[in-house]
Amino acid sequence: MRQDSALNNGTAGVSETTPNGEAPTSTAEGVARRSAVAEEQEFLDLATARRDRLADHLQAELSSDALNALERARRRMLRQQYEELRRAREGLVFGRLDGLDGTVRHIGRVGLRNDREDSEPLLVDWRAPAARPFYTATAVDPQGQARRRHIRTTGSTVVGVDDEPLDGTITAELVGEGALLAALDQRRTGRMSTAISTLQREQDDIIRAEATGPLIVQGGPGTGKTVVALHRVAYLLFAHPKMADQAVLVLGPSPRFLRYIAQVLPALGETAVVSATCDTLLPEIRVGRDESRLLAEIKGRALWQPALENYVASLLPRPRELKLRWEGEFYVIPAATVAQALASAVQGRPYHRARAAFAEQLHHILAEAVVEQREALMNEMEEGFEDILARVDRGMQHDHQLGRRSTGSDVDGLLSEDEVESLRHRIGASATIARFIEAWWPTLNAETLLCGLMADRTLLARFAPQLSVEEITAVQAEPALWASSDIPLLDALADLLGEVEAPQPQGEFVADHARRQRDWVYGHVVIDEAQELSEMQWQMVLRRCPSRSITAVGDIDQAEAAHRHTSWAQAVQAVFRDRWTAAELTICYRTPREVMDLTEPVLKKAGSHNAPPRAVRSSGIAPWVLTITPAELAGAAAQAVRQLQQRWPGGTVGVIAPVDRIAELLAVLSDVPVLTATQSKGLEWDATLLIDPQGIAAEPRGWNGLYVALTRCTQELGQLVLT
């Protein structure tokens, strides 16, 4: 075992702190700090009391019986307001703006009114326009502000303040070192925090960008992509209340990642949000097996969308003469009439909805045929039995003289409008007619169809001619259980088929409705780690948001999926063409400079033309490397993890290794996450132990994976290199 650079002794990069978490200060600075903390504690107590009164009032109103069925919309609004206040117990107040004109505004998780309706708000909601300078003002552009104060709280207690002068004036009253770097030095807990108070200007510009089309945000490791995406959700729901009526979909790369971010949006009070992965978007469908990268790449290609469209179109019935039986009589519908009804019914509709439209037309056509045939029979009777009809007419006249009523059909054999409508209704309700339509235009199932298509070489060659013979063979040889790349294909087929009957929404919140319905149309979609989506997965996104109100964040240089995209233009061309907007996050807040310095050569080997993000902080801890033999791996990994845990008490340690090393490491490391580079994407720990980096680089798209693995730590990186 050889140590290539010294292991940290356990104290480097860890600053001395007082019991409340503040750094020790001089007497004068300590007095100023204590005064500022006491001032903000007084305001926090005031705001908390106001929040409690408002929450109690809303709860009392919700529990009363005064609200009737006609006021459900108001009840829903009150419940949302109550939930927002209830969730705002933690971090209620986190900021303050002191204006050049002497005004003082406190910024918080929710807005709170003063007791007097005509006065300034007691607390400004962080998403409100008045709060924007808290994120965007700088010393170069103070936007009318003299000072920005970050307020750190634990529960109902203020534990620290950090002041930033914005007008160039440095006074003795300014305290602290700025919230962002303080936040970066906090221990990681395995759950993403709500970083409202540390959003920076380039992040805030993206959060508040117009939601008029696809926004693709490129950001390297530690640039705050996920925080930006989630706070954009909260901002859009605040700025566009109608968006909440449709809900917002948040797509993440894995269930582990969704659990990691699970506290962010609820902590901001947003309940109109559905979180999912691409694999879980279809209700009742679950991925049952892994698949090769080759098959994942083949089935992720955009060619499947037109292939499936043509396949379903081929299953539509062809126009022909139809012979229907109604009440013992046969009626022939000419092929030309059927063709016209088919063309009218299809018109871009999904398969089953087109069938429903055709069935409705057929009911009318059959009713007309019945009426016409009856009229023709009556005409024949009139020509052959005029004398009989004359006697019938005289009898009807006699009935009329006696005061008897008759219908139109009693008089001339023709059906009245009401009788024709009744006939149509009876035809529409007829089980015999329904069975005829089912036989001619059958109900189809997306799962059965996809299985049949994938198992049939002839069909694959016909509808996906771009596939080679070898690729068709690979697809055809797949087992029946669903793999991840099948989900977008199933979704496309389900969309092309349409629902047989639309499901009835259930549940109180709009998110409950959306979660249950495959074809729900969302007000906005946010995608994290978007570089991993295949072209067919992008199609899934577009189906759920045809308005294209989409925010996608990711790092194209961290792509590890089987597709071959190396730029955002390649990734989204199939679905958006050139109609999308690019944005970039350039500053790395998470990963220390000592670690980011290792990434540029890795990026070059990954084929990237991008520069790594600029790190703004240093942990003071040099990355270290320990060279070991494979036989020493288990013991060396366990010892290194113990040392890292001792150096970062209260924080987190993560282990990243090649796929073929995971099982061996899990046997000896039970109290830390042991993940592949792909599984670690989007996660962060105080310290990372990277095992066998060359083994990771040797995996498919391995240099991209190594770039991911190197950049997961916020403080310390250690590597075990195998000889």
Side-chain angles (χ1 to χ4, degrees):
M1 181 183 296
R2 189 177 78 253
Q3 186 169 307
D4 294 85
S5 63
L7 287 173
N8 186 265
N9 63 12
T11 59
V14 182
S15 59
E16 181 185 356
T17 60
T18 59
N20 68 355
E22 296 294 323
T25 60
S26 65
T27 302
E29 185 180 352
V31 170
R33 184 185 298 277
R34 286 193 294 274
S35 175
V37 167
E39 179 184 15
E40 299 308 337
Q41 183 67 59
E42 182 179 357
F43 180 83
L44 177 60
D45 293 342
L46 177 65
T48 299
R50 179 64 174 158
R51 185 208 71 87
D52 291 344
R53 288 197 302 274
L54 289 172
D56 291 344
H57 175 75
L58 287 171
Q59 188 176 34
E61 193 166 356
L62 284 167
S63 62
S64 72
D65 296 328
L67 294 176
N68 57 39
L70 297 177
E71 295 177 294
R72 287 175 184 166
R74 183 165 178 266
R75 180 184 288 274
R76 178 182 170 192
M77 179 189 70
L78 293 175
R79 183 174 295 281
Q80 288 176 337
Q81 291 175 353
Y82 172 74
E83 285 296 320
E84 190 170 63
L85 289 172
R86 185 182 66 82
R87 294 175 186 275
R89 289 193 182 97
E90 185 71 31
L92 175 62
V93 181
F94 58 77
R96 169 175 152 173
L97 284 171
D98 291 11
L100 292 168
D101 59 0
T103 60
V104 175
R105 290 189 177 94
H106 279 85
I107 314 299
R109 290 230 338 240
V110 296
L112 295 177
R113 303 187 307 272
N114 257 309
D115 290 328
R116 291 187 298 109
E117 295 291 337
D118 59 344
S119 63
E120 286 288 316
L122 177 68
L123 185 64
V124 177
D125 190 298
W126 72 276
R127 296 158 292 191
R132 183 176 173 85
F134 186 78
Y135 305 106
T136 60
T138 64
V140 176
D141 179 20
Q143 299 176 27
Q145 307 304 316
R147 178 178 66 176
R148 171 171 45 221
R149 169 172 285 179
H150 298 270
I151 303 166
R152 301 200 304 279
T153 61
T154 298
S156 58
T157 303
V158 175
V159 297
V161 295
D162 296 296
D163 287 339
E164 297 176 63
L166 297 172
D167 61 353
T169 303
I170 305 298
T171 69
E173 286 130 13
L174 290 171
V175 295
E177 59 183 355
L180 179 63
L181 295 182
L184 290 167
D185 285 331
Q186 291 176 356
R187 299 289 183 267
R188 265 42 192 175
T189 63
R191 191 176 72 181
M192 179 169 285
S193 63
T194 52
I196 306 170
S197 60
T198 58
L199 297 177
Q200 300 302 289
R201 182 159 189 167
E202 71 174 8
Q203 297 174 326
D204 189 71
D205 286 342
I206 292 170
I207 288 170
R208 298 169 193 263
E210 290 296 319
T212 54
L215 177 65
I216 310 296
V217 182
Q218 162 65 27
T223 54
K225 298 183 294 295
T226 301
V227 169
V228 167
L230 297 178
H231 286 82
R232 177 160 169 77
V233 172
Y235 172 74
L236 290 174
L237 287 171
F238 177 83
H240 305 283
K242 290 186 177 179
M243 194 176 284
D245 294 336
Q246 294 178 270
V248 172
L249 173 64
V250 177
L251 282 178
S254 67
R256 174 189 288 271
F257 179 77
L258 293 180
R259 289 193 297 271
Y260 179 57
I261 67 171
Q263 297 301 314
V264 175
L265 287 170
L268 296 174
E270 309 303 350
T271 54
V273 178
V274 174
S275 61
T277 67
C278 286
D279 286 355
T280 62
L281 274 178
L282 293 185
E284 311 302 328
I285 301 294
R286 293 293 177 266
V287 171
R289 64 179 175 85
D290 295 327
E291 63 185 337
S292 69
R293 291 180 64 86
L294 170 65
L295 281 168
E297 190 277 324
I298 293 172
K299 291 193 294 182
R301 297 176 192 171
L303 67 88
W304 289 99
Q305 187 63 36
L308 294 174
E309 290 172 1
N310 293 332
Y311 178 43
V312 171
S314 74
L315 302 174
L316 293 170
R318 296 294 176 258
R320 65 174 177 84
E321 182 181 273
L322 299 181
K323 189 175 183 181
L324 300 170
R325 185 182 179 92
W326 177 252
E327 293 184 343
E329 298 290 337
F330 284 100
Y331 298 88
V332 176
I333 312 299
T337 302
V338 173
Q340 186 177 7
L342 266 173
S344 174
V346 173
Q347 287 189 342
R349 291 186 179 96
Y351 176 95
H352 290 124
R353 292 179 190 170
R355 186 182 73 163
F358 176 82
E360 185 175 351
Q361 291 190 58
L362 187 62
H363 299 157
H364 284 266
I365 293 169
L366 178 57
E368 290 174 1
V370 170
V371 171
E372 290 175 2
Q373 186 160 312
R374 178 163 182 167
E375 289 178 355
L377 287 173
M378 290 303 297
N379 289 334
E380 291 177 6
M381 289 175 64
E382 287 179 358
E383 292 174 2
F385 303 97
E386 291 181 359
D387 57 334
I388 297 174
L389 290 173
R391 291 196 296 271
V392 171
D393 287 341
R394 287 193 295 273
M396 289 181 175
Q397 185 177 8
H398 177 67
D399 289 343
H400 179 69
Q401 292 170 349
L402 293 175
R404 297 174 184 164
R405 301 182 61 187
S406 62
T407 64
S409 58
D410 290 334
V411 175
D412 55 13
L414 301 180
L415 298 180
S416 68
E417 290 185 6
D418 288 344
E419 289 171 324
V420 172
E421 185 60 34
S422 175
L423 173 63
R424 289 172 183 158
H425 179 75
R426 287 188 291 118
I427 290 173
S430 168
T432 301
I433 299 299
R435 284 194 295 270
F436 177 88
I437 295 173
E438 176 65 29
W440 187 64
W441 194 329
T443 301
L444 298 178
N445 175 271
E447 298 174 60
T448 304
L449 274 186
L450 187 60
C451 285
L453 174 64
M454 294 303 190
D456 192 319
R457 295 184 64 88
T458 303
L459 288 177
L460 287 170
R462 176 184 171 190
F463 292 108
Q466 303 94 323
L467 297 178
S468 67
V469 173
E470 293 76 17
E471 289 170 337
I472 289 176
T473 299
V475 170
Q476 188 191 23
E478 281 199 292
L481 286 175
W482 301 123
S484 181
S485 66
D486 291 316
I487 303 301
L489 304 183
L490 278 171
D491 186 63
L493 270 177
D495 186 70
L496 291 166
L497 293 178
E499 304 293 340
V500 179
E501 292 182 4
Q504 294 299 313
Q506 301 173 6
E508 182 178 1
F509 292 112
V510 65
D512 297 325
H513 303 173
R515 216 173 267 113
R516 291 183 174 92
Q517 293 186 224
R518 183 207 61 80
D519 57 349
W520 185 271
V521 174
Y522 289 90
H524 193 80
V525 176
V526 169
I527 312 163
D528 197 61
E529 301 293 347
Q531 75 278 355
E532 303 302 335
L533 268 62
S534 69
E535 291 171 329
M536 287 303 292
Q537 287 173 327
W538 278 110
Q539 292 284 358
M540 288 181 79
V541 172
L542 183 60
R543 278 190 287 275
R544 283 157 178 80
C545 194
S547 69
R548 302 180 181 226
S549 181
I550 296 166
T551 302
V553 303
D555 182 3
I556 202 69
D557 293 322
Q558 294 187 57
E560 293 182 274
H563 58 66
R564 300 167 185 173
H565 307 143
T566 58
S567 71
W568 284 113
Q570 292 175 336
V572 302
Q573 172 70 21
V575 64
F576 298 142
R577 305 301 178 202
D578 298 324
R579 298 190 297 274
W580 55 280
T581 303
E584 188 172 6
L585 295 167
T586 62
I587 301 171
C588 175
Y589 302 104
R590 177 187 67 211
T591 310
R593 189 177 301 114
E594 292 86 351
V595 174
M596 289 305 296
D597 288 345
L598 303 177
T599 61
E600 190 165 2
V602 174
L603 273 182
K604 288 182 179 178
K605 290 180 180 178
S608 171
H609 300 289
N610 299 323
R614 177 168 55 89
V616 296
R617 55 184 287 271
S618 170
S619 67
I621 307 172
W624 52 267
V625 176
L626 198 62
T627 302
I628 59 174
T629 65
E632 296 173 313
L633 175 58
Q639 181 181 0
V641 166
R642 283 195 300 271
Q643 292 174 343
L644 290 172
Q645 288 174 325
Q646 290 168 3
R647 283 196 288 278
W648 302 104
T652 57
V653 175
V655 177
I656 305 176
V659 174
D660 58 6
R661 299 285 181 188
I662 296 295
E664 178 184 1
L665 292 166
L666 285 173
V668 295
L669 302 175
S670 59
D671 58 345
V672 292
V674 180
L675 307 173
T676 65
T678 299
Q679 292 170 334
S680 73
K681 189 165 297 173
L683 304 181
E684 60 183 43
W685 304 286
D686 292 280
T688 300
L689 180 63
L690 178 56
I691 291 175
D692 190 11
Q694 290 302 318
I696 292 176
E699 295 175 339
R701 294 195 81 154
W703 289 107
N704 300 84
L706 184 57
Y707 179 55
V708 172
L710 284 170
T711 54
R712 297 305 96 196
C713 72
T714 65
Q715 303 292 346
E716 181 176 355
L717 172 68
Q719 300 183 65
L720 299 185
V721 175
L722 303 185
T723 59

